[in-house]
Amino acid sequence: MSVQERKQRERAERERLIVATARELAEQQGWDAVTTRRLAERIEYSQPVLYSHFRGKREIIGAVALQGAAELATAVRVATSAADGPRARVAALARAYLDFAARNPAVYDALFQLDGGLPYAQEDTPEPLKDAFAALLESLAEVAGDGVDPGLFTEVFWASLHGLATLTRAGRLLPEDAEPRVELLVGRLAVL
């Protein structure tokens, strides 16, 4: 292995460490606790080393969001691949999405609430974000209904899931009604 290859590998490893540490800190204490100073202390590198990877917290949030988008896409695809039939796939998608949001609140915030400097719904949207949307579209396109644009339907369904995730986390919805909400969403929005 050449010196340059070793340096590139070390740089990539430091970047993964920064992102993992930021994510861990955010999940434990919230995003307000994530500062470059704290990150530098936790990973035992200087702040200038952090700034050589990320220009600041905003870019770190973006990196966590991209990682989270890939994980969300995987979770949705795994859940829907095991389901039998369109209704079961859509219900599995909804449950996987809501479960991901509940298990990873800081990552979910990085994806959908905080400014990570990432363009959404544009030509230059990063591939992991496009793929997360594609994971939803794969199951929802078949139940959009005649004459309904599958992408638009997916946006509306996704917005409904986001609303449920956000309101549930804020304690605005009764937790014991989580499953009836999924069934209602699936039964009323999707043409099955």
Side-chain angles (χ1 to χ4, degrees):
M1 173 183 303
S2 73
V3 173
Q4 184 177 358
E5 288 172 329
R6 182 181 53 78
K7 285 183 179 185
Q8 287 174 339
R9 189 185 75 229
E10 289 171 354
R11 180 172 176 75
E13 184 55 40
R14 269 194 315 271
E15 193 166 300
R16 280 191 292 279
L17 179 61
I18 293 165
V19 172
T21 304
R23 181 176 174 165
E24 179 183 318
L25 188 56
E27 290 293 0
Q28 290 171 352
Q29 299 177 31
W31 278 104
D32 287 342
V34 179
T35 64
T36 53
R37 183 182 201 191
R38 258 192 162 155
L39 286 174
E41 289 172 3
R42 283 212 176 184
I43 65 171
E44 298 178 346
Y45 283 101
S46 67
Q47 283 181 299
V49 169
L50 256 76
Y51 285 116
S52 74
H53 290 274
F54 300 99
R55 286 182 284 197
K57 183 175 175 176
R58 182 178 185 218
E59 284 189 4
I60 294 169
I61 290 170
V64 170
L66 293 175
Q67 188 180 73
E71 292 170 10
L72 176 60
T74 298
V76 166
R77 286 187 175 113
V78 166
T80 57
S81 70
D84 186 29
R87 182 182 183 85
R89 271 191 295 283
V90 174
L93 177 153
R95 287 185 198 102
Y97 183 97
L98 294 171
D99 182 58
F100 179 88
R103 283 185 299 106
N104 305 284
V107 173
Y108 192 81
D109 285 348
L111 267 166
F112 303 120
Q113 306 284 66
L114 301 174
D115 179 10
L118 302 173
Y120 285 77
Q122 297 174 25
E123 284 295 315
D124 60 342
T125 297
E127 197 54 42
L129 298 177
K130 288 180 181 179
D131 190 51
F133 185 79
L136 301 176
L137 181 64
E138 288 162 11
S139 292
L140 294 170
E142 68 180 319
V143 298
D146 293 336
V148 177
D149 176 81
L152 186 60
F153 178 77
T154 300
E155 289 174 351
V156 171
F157 199 91
W158 171 31
S160 299
L161 290 173
H162 176 68
L164 289 175
T166 303
L167 291 169
T168 299
R169 188 163 132 206
R172 303 294 197 270
L173 301 176
L174 295 172
E176 60 268 21
D177 290 336
E179 188 56 30
R181 279 189 209 95
V182 167
E183 289 301 320
L184 184 62
L185 179 64
V186 171
R188 296 292 180 178
L189 280 184
V191 177
L192 302 167

